[in-house]
């Protein structure tokens, strides 16, 4: 069973550095990435995958959307969430990109 992408938005992927108390660009990427929500229909799982727009081979983020995850739209163009290891941030290219992405994440959270 393959995975279906339910959204593709443009965002710069950031990670929060807890030691430095600062946001940093995700490993290995500068600038914008394509961020997607993938749905694995077989086992009804979802993940957030980001690939650099300059080099699609570079996966800059790949994390599961887990049940009851809190996805925080801190501003109309900056969304963030955390797992036990890491805080992730997406600085979207536009409010539309951000809204479309949030809709797909909310849809995933509704079905988990
Ligand atoms: C309970 C909980 O976990 N709360 C988390 C948030 C959260 C809530 C609920 C569920 C999950 C999560 Cl994740 C929390 O508060 N966190 C998560 C780590 C960081 C932070 C803690 C402190 C700082 C203070 C300022 C604020 C911040 O980063 N604002 C942004 C900002 O400074 N920037 C980014 C853009 C815009 C702004 C919005 C782009 C780059 C930089 C900049 O503008 O230059 N913070 C946070 O969000």
């Amino acid at each position: 069973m393959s995975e279906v992408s339910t959204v593709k938005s443009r965002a710069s992927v950031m990670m929060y550095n807890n030691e430095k108390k600062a946001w940093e660009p995700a490993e290995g990427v500068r600038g914008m990435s394509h961020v997607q929500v993938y749905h694995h229909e077989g086992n009804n799982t979802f993940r957030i995958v980001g690939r650099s727009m300059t080099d699609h081979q570079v996966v800059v983020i790949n994390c599961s959307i887990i049940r009851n995850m809190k996805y925080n739209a801190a501003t109309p163009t900056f969304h963030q969430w955390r797992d036990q290891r890491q805080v992730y941030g997406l600085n979207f290219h536009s409010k539309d990109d951000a809204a479309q992405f949030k809709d797909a994440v909310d849809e995933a959270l509704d079905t988990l």
Side-chain angles (χ1 to χ4, degrees):
M1 196 66 153
S2 68
E3 289 181 286
V4 175
S5 166
T6 57
V7 69
K8 181 184 244 186
S9 291
R10 287 163 297 175
S12 116
V13 180
M14 309 185 86
M15 307 280 179
Y16 191 71
N17 181 319
N18 277 305
E19 286 70 45
K20 294 185 195 157
K21 296 279 174 261
W23 289 97
E24 297 173 336
E27 199 57 35
V29 72
R30 289 260 170 278
M32 285 286 159
S33 298
H34 275 134
V35 287
Q36 293 180 265
V37 171
Y38 279 101
H39 182 205
H40 189 291
E41 292 160 331
N43 49 30
N44 192 38
T45 55
F46 295 84
R47 60 191 178 117
I48 291 172
V49 178
R51 288 187 185 81
S52 161
M53 282 177 82
T54 46
D55 177 355
H56 272 232
Q57 303 305 317
V58 175
V59 175
V60 294
I61 183 173
N62 178 4
C63 62
S64 298
I65 298 179
I66 52 170
R67 212 170 123 66
N68 299 332
M69 178 181 103
K70 295 278 168 293
Y71 181 83
N72 182 45
T75 75
T77 52
F78 184 78
H79 298 175
Q80 57 192 164
W81 69 97
R82 54 178 185 254
D83 65 19
Q84 55 277 47
R85 278 177 312 120
Q86 182 77 50
V87 180
Y88 305 90
L90 296 177
N91 223 349
F92 289 92
H93 177 262
S94 73
K95 289 181 183 171
D96 282 354
D97 280 82
Q100 284 163 24
F101 196 80
K102 181 169 186 326
D103 287 349
V105 172
D106 288 346
E107 209 175 295
L109 290 169
D110 285 347
T111 73
L112 283 172

